[in-house]
Amino acid sequence: SQQGEEDPQALSIQEGENATMNCSYKTSINNLQWYRQNSGRGLVHLILIRSNEREKHSGRLRVTLDTSKKSSSLLITASRAADTASYFCATDSQGAQKLVFGQGTRLTINP
Amino acid sequence: KAGVTQTPRYLIKTRGQQVTLSCSPISGHRSVSWYQQTPGQGLQFLFEYFSETQRNKGNFPGRFSGRQFSNSRSEMNVSTLELGDSALYLCASSLSGPTPYEQYFGPGTRLTVT
């Protein structure tokens, strides 16, 4: 079963615009991670945010975490065509040494 | 440093056969996790190995098994293949575990069962 659920399932925007994806989860977590996957290839780690952090930045990425609402958001600013990919959140399932992934958001950046 | 490698990249098998997939982690990484990705179920955790020991297992039937060798390389085996086993199988390595450490994913093995 999926711990995280992403919203929206698909997002299409123009190059240069900002993209926001949301992730909700069900149980308490120690940390939440975001990954990117290009067209059926392996995943690439983007950012990890711990449960005691509220916001984290990495380049054009900004991640927020609200543990009271069990939700996280990923913001990509000034989007580029190369950002076209699927984005997944992953949670650590109550501290167990495994990650549980959401269904992902498919992001398309139009030139 | 070399990334995670998976072999083979593509595989076609017939129902009832068995298959073995291989994963070589990044040098120095001791944790290897396996995932199955399908359009319907998404990314699902299969199992995680650390220092040759399985620490966690996902909700998959016993037909799915794995092991890890002393050099941290890992293999997973699926016996008595079913059509529903067609998927992209991904392995990921990390220093000490999938959390709270960054996982490095391989390109995957695409298995087609006919």
Side-chain angles (χ1 to χ4, degrees):
Chain A
S1 63
Q2 300 295 332
Q3 156 81 307
E5 293 183 3
E6 273 114 280
D7 171 57
Q9 290 189 346
L11 180 62
S12 181
I13 60 173
Q14 296 298 121
E15 197 166 15
E17 294 181 337
N18 296 341
T20 300
M21 288 157 270
N22 303 297
C23 166
S24 60
Y25 56 91
K26 298 172 185 172
T27 60
S28 62
I29 61 172
N30 292 324
N31 62 78
L32 184 146
Q33 304 184 38
W34 284 90
Y35 285 83
R36 183 187 76 225
Q37 183 179 37
N38 289 89
S39 191
R41 297 183 185 176
L43 281 73
V44 174
H45 182 267
L46 295 176
I47 201 163
L48 180 151
I49 186 165
R50 300 181 190 276
S51 59
N52 61 353
E53 298 176 309
R54 290 297 167 257
E55 189 171 308
K56 205 160 181 182
H57 296 254
S58 177
R60 294 183 297 111
L61 306 180
R62 187 185 83 143
V63 167
T64 61
L65 179 63
D66 187 334
T67 53
S68 67
K69 295 181 180 178
K70 291 187 171 56
S71 68
S72 174
S73 68
L74 169 67
L75 167 67
I76 303 174
T77 60
S79 63
R80 305 168 181 168
D83 295 328
T84 294
S86 291
Y87 291 81
F88 297 88
C89 68
T91 54
D92 66 348
S93 188
Q94 296 174 295
Q97 278 297 333
K98 66 178 188 178
L99 287 182
V100 180
F101 285 81
Q103 289 283 6
T105 292
R106 192 168 57 253
L107 175 66
T108 302
I109 308 298
N110 302 302
Chain B
K1 134 166 106 168
V4 177
T5 58
Q6 291 187 247
T7 56
R9 293 291 312 278
Y10 302 91
L11 206 49
I12 300 175
K13 289 286 188 178
T14 305
R15 267 182 306 175
Q17 289 185 316
Q18 75 166 19
V19 66
T20 299
L21 312 182
S22 181
C23 172
S24 293
I26 289 173
S27 177
H29 285 189
R30 295 167 65 188
S31 168
V32 174
S33 299
W34 287 90
Y35 299 87
Q36 180 197 65
Q37 186 175 30
T38 60
Q41 297 299 315
L43 269 159
Q44 295 198 292
F45 173 81
L46 280 157
F47 24 66
E48 187 257 352
Y49 286 88
F50 179 81
S51 293
E52 302 179 67
T53 299
Q54 186 183 89
R55 291 195 295 190
N56 270 285
K57 190 177 192 304
N59 190 24
F60 278 82
R63 300 185 297 107
F64 292 81
S65 63
R67 59 178 177 169
Q68 186 181 35
F69 302 96
S70 57
N71 62 358
S72 293
R73 190 176 69 84
S74 177
E75 288 181 347
M76 69 162 281
N77 184 77
V78 188
S79 62
T80 320
L81 284 165
E82 301 177 359
L83 294 178
D85 297 333
S86 294
L88 181 67
Y89 290 88
L90 295 162
C91 84
S93 76
S94 60
L95 282 170
S96 300
T99 180
Y101 306 99
E102 173 180 353
Q103 286 196 104
Y104 294 81
F105 280 80
T109 294
R110 186 163 294 281
L111 171 65
T112 302
V113 182
T114 62

